[in-house]
Amino acid sequence: MSNQPWKTDNYFVSPWNYQDEANAGFDPPKSIEVHDVTLRDGEQQAGIEFTPDEKMRIAEALAEAGVQRIEAGLPAVSPGDAEAVKRIAAAGLPARIFSFSRCMVDDVKRALEAGVEGIVMEVPSSEHIIEKAYRWDYQKAIDLTVESTKFAHQNGLFVSFSPIDSSRADITTFLDLIETIERDGHMDSLALVDTFGVLSPNAAAFMTRKVRERIKKPLEAHFHMDFSLGVANTLMAVVNGATTVQVSVTGTGERAGNTPLEDTVMALKTMYGIESGIDFSKLYGLSKLVREAARVSVPLNRGIVGDRLFHVESGIIASWVKNVGQADLTEAFPFRPEMVGQTGPEIVLGKGSGLDSVLIWLDKTGFPPASDDHMMAILMEVKAMSLQRKGLLSEDDF
């Protein structure tokens, strides 16, 4: 790593991120594995339904982007889902294919029929969810989990044990549960699951450390965005020892969504120097593919994959972009557009534009430079038209 890891040709973040005092007590891995849940948890977002062909295309794009583990779906949902999982598992992609399963032997059998390599096995870990939502007694949950995880292991599946609602379970009960399953059942790894997105970042760090004290299995971070903390919580889990992040493309998922793939891997790389194996230049295209298949939109200025992320209206920032040029573009942006598969920057015209914006557009449209008074007159008309239209001007408008 360079003497200034916060500043490279592609990005420029804060030197505070790399101070020893800022990272005291952390135990991060040098690299992490990405487990993408778009095709299962992402599809649980209300209104999203992927066809088997769309699932196949998305799986291919995920693998091409470098995702190491793809959660292809829950075969028990429908014959179509079972067929999609089977197709993806048989496609020979350069990624390990997982399916999702409840802690039930019949679900595991469906995963085996689909030909997957690994399985994410879910059981509620909070007593209140078990009793009120599932209408089970607690011992039934333990018994089913022990039986089904052992069955999955005996049949050659990698078992990622996923005790849902971990973050709202009684701490002692939860820690006893995972210790019981490690001893009596089977897990190859354990997911720390914040099903309702209710962990704070400091609690995510604490949870990771406490679990590492009790069991010696690799840990995975599976967090949600209900309070928009999924990325922060995932980072805290990783710097405290988690080695796999469970994410979805552009944060698709139940309610407010899962922790987004793009933000997580970019933050890990630029702010912590932790590698993910992801080809960042594929991120924008991957997001567009999933959004089109899901028929969902995101804010135009959304981080990393927003369609207008590198559009500049503010006159001040337009001047920065003009002055720094391509060579020093990270003086005006935290990372280059091409790093994440975007293009730009593009100076646009609106109410916030300045004189440099007009100068740039005169050159862009083939007009000669104008006097200061003439450019100011043009700028005033640009601002008036933009305000009237409540939007940007086109080249024809200019």
Side-chain angles (χ1 to χ4, degrees):
M1 188 174 290
S2 72
N3 292 330
Q4 290 187 321
W6 55 88
K7 190 177 192 304
T8 73
D9 291 340
N10 283 321
Y11 58 86
F12 187 179
V13 296
S14 172
W16 293 80
N17 297 334
Y18 287 88
Q19 300 308 300
D20 290 340
E21 298 95 324
N23 296 302
F26 289 168
D27 183 25
K30 291 182 180 179
S31 63
I32 54 95
E33 192 171 48
V34 176
H35 175 111
D36 185 87
V37 302
T38 304
L39 300 178
R40 197 275 304 173
D41 219 348
E43 195 183 24
Q44 287 182 209
Q45 180 173 322
I48 293 182
E49 294 185 12
F50 297 129
T51 66
D53 286 345
E54 287 170 337
K55 286 196 170 192
M56 191 69 242
R57 286 197 297 272
I58 292 169
E60 290 170 341
L62 288 168
E64 185 180 349
V67 169
Q68 296 92 350
R69 287 169 39 175
I70 298 171
E71 192 172 309
L74 172 57
V77 166
S78 70
D81 282 81
E83 180 59 31
V85 175
K86 187 177 294 186
R87 280 179 61 187
I88 294 168
L93 299 177
R96 299 164 67 195
I97 308 304
F98 281 59
S99 70
F100 188 79
S101 157
R102 296 164 294 185
C103 282
M104 298 178 178
V105 168
D106 282 348
D107 275 15
V108 178
K109 289 179 179 178
R110 291 173 184 263
L112 291 167
E113 291 169 2
V116 297
E117 182 177 344
I119 187 169
V120 177
M121 300 194 66
E122 169 200 76
V123 75
S125 60
S126 56
E127 291 181 283
H128 49 89
I129 285 282
I130 292 173
E131 294 168 0
K132 295 181 179 180
Y134 283 70
R135 300 294 177 92
W136 292 353
D137 63 70
Y138 195 73
Q139 190 58 46
K140 177 180 179 179
I142 292 175
D143 292 342
L144 286 173
T145 302
V146 168
E147 178 189 23
S148 58
T149 57
K150 287 174 68 175
F151 179 78
H153 173 63
Q154 289 163 358
N155 283 274
L157 293 173
F158 179 98
V159 177
S160 172
F161 179 47
S162 182
I164 63 172
D165 206 22
S166 305
S167 56
R168 299 195 306 178
D170 172 77
I171 294 173
T172 301
T173 303
F174 168 72
L175 292 171
D176 288 345
L177 167 68
I178 61 175
E179 203 169 55
T180 298
I181 303 309
E182 182 188 36
R183 183 187 66 241
D184 299 336
H186 182 82
M187 65 174 81
D188 292 295
S189 63
L190 173 75
L192 307 171
V193 187
D194 185 23
T195 304
F196 296 98
V198 293
L199 270 179
S200 65
N202 52 302
F206 174 66
M207 182 186 201
T208 308
R209 294 194 301 269
K210 292 300 289 184
V211 169
R212 290 185 74 191
E213 290 173 5
R214 291 292 287 270
I215 67 170
K216 303 305 177 187
K217 298 294 184 180
L219 299 185
E220 309 184 9
H222 181 106
F223 299 137
H224 283 254
M225 295 290 287
D226 295 79
F227 285 89
S228 300
L229 292 172
V231 176
N233 289 343
T234 299
L235 298 180
M236 286 298 97
V238 169
V239 298
N240 282 280
T243 54
T244 298
V245 296
Q246 295 193 9
V247 292
S248 69
V249 175
T250 317
T252 51
E254 192 83 36
R255 301 182 317 281
N258 289 68
T259 299
L261 163 67
E262 303 89 346
D263 311 63
T264 303
V265 296
M266 282 287 286
L268 284 169
K269 171 62 177 177
T270 63
M271 299 180 187
Y272 295 93
I274 297 174
E275 301 291 341
S276 64
I278 297 299
D279 181 348
F280 302 123
S281 70
K282 304 290 186 185
L283 292 177
Y284 181 59
L286 178 59
S287 175
K288 292 272 284 187
L289 172 66
V290 170
R291 282 184 272 154
E292 288 169 6
R295 299 182 181 180
V296 298
S297 60
V298 297
L300 295 173
N301 68 336
R302 189 205 182 280
I304 301 172
V305 298
D307 293 338
R308 286 188 186 168
L309 182 62
F310 292 97
H311 287 195
V312 178
E313 179 181 348
S314 165
I316 295 173
I317 309 304
S319 295
W320 289 8
V321 171
K322 172 177 171 289
N323 292 338
V324 302
Q326 282 293 324
D328 294 307
L329 196 57
T330 56
E331 296 294 334
F333 298 93
F335 52 88
R336 289 182 171 276
E338 60 269 24
M339 182 181 180
V340 296
Q342 293 254 37
T343 59
E346 181 178 345
I347 307 302
V348 295
L349 289 181
K351 191 182 76 167
S353 294
L355 287 174
D356 273 337
S357 307
V358 173
L359 184 62
I360 291 166
W361 270 65
L362 286 172
D363 180 67
K364 172 183 176 181
T365 52
F367 286 97
S371 68
D372 289 348
D373 287 346
H374 190 187
M375 287 205 301
M376 181 58 73
I378 294 171
L379 179 60
M380 290 302 100
E381 288 200 43
V382 164
K383 289 176 179 286
M385 182 178 286
S386 175
L387 182 59
Q388 181 183 21
R389 293 187 175 182
K390 295 182 70 66
L392 301 174
L393 273 66
S394 69
E395 190 168 314
D396 285 342
D397 294 330
F398 186 71

